[in-house]
Amino acid sequence: MRNIRLTIEFDGTNYAGWQIQPNRPTIQGELQSALKKLFGRDITLYGCGRTDAGVSARNYTANFLTDSKLPVEKIPLALNSYLPEEIVVKKAEVAPLDFHSRYQAKSKTYIYYIIIGRSPLRCHHAWELHQPLDINRLKTAANLFLGKKDFNHFCQTREGNGICQITSIRVKKSGDEIKIAITGDRFLYKMVRRIVGAMVAYASTRLTKMDIHAALAGKKHRPFQTAPAPGLILESVRYNRRSYIRNSEAER
């Protein structure tokens, strides 16, 4: 038995997120269908986490168990022949048998893209805003979310544990494009998009610091928009070193 770790890039525009849902197209559903065609049996693919409908990924991590002897370097090409053009397996590796893409993830980095103005070439993966943003205020707002906080009130559904640690939020402007890179140990449903929405509202002077503090505490505050899904991309997932040691090395 081998544990195969996949690195996947996908355009989530026309999908209902990562996780399989009845009668709706999902990334996990397409990949598991491809795995069944390749290996001739049902195979469960474990992802590093859910993504919202419409959200994309540059380096999504997933893993599955198989007793197939197909050389690992041939798996990406074989799987890609069964996948739609919006999904591509970039890499396959043998991982330790106890590796799990979700439970062993140490941190994730998302990047949110904003365009000031209009861009027909980029609008499918960005939030088009028609007013300028104060970059200094955007960076000030970012600092309000750093550290270990209860983000249940920045999540559409209440989870038992809303404590997440945001380790960095980097804001970079280049021409008409703004990139917001957010790194944390875990993220709740719609959490990144609501953080970005609050940051934009503050940068547009529609929110105050007190409003953001109140929102984090679940108290009354002025409303702000949840950033649209197309602008969000899962950039990377970080694991500890042992998660990247092949079985033969891990057993030494």
Side-chain angles (χ1 to χ4, degrees), residues 83-97:
L83 288 169
E85 62 182 6
E86 300 94 342
I87 306 171
V88 63
V89 176
K90 298 164 69 173
K91 187 177 183 181
E93 306 165 271
V94 178
L97 282 175

Side-chain angles (χ1 to χ4, degrees), residues 30-45:
E30 294 288 351
L31 281 159
Q32 289 193 171
S33 175
L35 285 167
K36 184 174 183 179
K37 291 174 182 175
L38 178 60
F39 294 112
R41 66 182 69 177
D42 288 327
I43 290 178
T44 300
L45 185 64

Side-chain angles (χ1 to χ4, degrees), residues 3 5 45-49 61-63 95-105 239 243:
N3 192 4
R5 176 177 49 243
L45 185 64
Y46 303 98
C48 62
T61 303
N63 70 287
L97 282 175
D98 63 354
F99 172 78
H100 193 289
S101 296
R102 178 183 175 187
Y103 298 125
Q104 290 182 293
Y239 298 90
S243 299

